[in-house]
Amino acid sequence: MLNFAIETAKDAGRVLMEKFGRIEAVTKKGDINLVTEADLASEALIIDRIKSHFPRHSILAEEAGNAVIIGDEGGHKWIIDPLDGTTNFAHGYPCFCVTIALEHKGEIVLGVTYDPARDELFAAERGRGATLNGKPMRVSATDALGDALIVTGFPYDIKRRDDFARHLTQMLLSCRGVRRDGSAAIDMAYVACGRFDGFWEEGLNPWDMAAGILLIEEAGGRVSNYDGSEFDLYHPPVLASNGLIHAEMSSILR
Ligand code: IPD
Ligand code: CA
Ligand code: CA
């Protein structure tokens, strides 16, 4: 099933690249939340593939309007974001990806995030480690927040999030730098391969995070709620790190 997810993500990534820089139709889902023809074409390809290979599996897909329950054979659920980083994509900024995960009986068992602009494929299977373009990857060894490069995202409903500015200011004052790249799935993949040391964000959906969580855990990192308690995919926020700076980040976000 990992190979199926990898091939599907790569094919969906090709669809995105064919449309990158040539987008004609951009629709607003909210004030600043966009959807393009690329999101829809990529999602259609992924859903078609899943339906033909695993017709009785469930699918949770972003653009399909939450859960599309096709079946429930053995509790398998595919969780997909066909284009994570839509705003970047619509502006011609090459930071976006396809991200696909498989949940089995409530646990993420495989995750794949594909960045077609850089041709980087991040993949993990529970208990079998994580890879970047087929080579094993690990989280960073940075053990102090003061030496860490951290990434976050700004939720679409930021106007309603009172603590966000306080968290951002505190984090900026405590670490080496904070980045905001506009694709939560890539942010998490970069924590998994050690480019970033930590990530926090609230207001995300399961399809933004599902693959990234497994990538980070299988690469030796840690994922939790802001206060360090057990992470729940369906009830964010999320704090993810190499594990070594987790407590320092958590003390800022509490
Ligand atoms: C968004 C991106 C972004 C995050 C937003 C997400 P989309 O996903 O992951 O980094 O800050 O909260 O909704 O809309 O580009 O699929
Ligand atoms: Ca997303
Ligand atoms: Ca999306």
Side-chain angles (χ1 to χ4, degrees), residues 68-142:
V68 184
I69 306 298
I70 293 169
D72 195 18
E73 194 182 69
H76 286 99
K77 190 201 294 179
W78 293 91
I79 304 175
I80 63 182
D81 189 339
L83 168 46
D84 187 55
T86 297
T87 305
N88 289 343
F89 189 92
H91 286 259
Y93 179 66
C95 181
F96 54 85
C97 64
V98 178
T99 184
I100 300 177
L102 179 63
E103 189 186 87
H104 184 228
K105 296 185 176 160
E107 184 180 64
I108 304 295
V109 292
L110 72 81
V112 169
T113 294
Y114 180 56
D115 170 354
R118 294 181 189 77
D119 192 24
E120 288 191 324
L121 190 283
F122 303 85
E125 221 173 339
R126 185 160 301 278
R128 296 185 154 202
T131 56
L132 165 50
N133 284 348
K135 300 204 175 93
M137 64 176 177
R138 289 287 301 170
V139 292
S140 70
T142 307

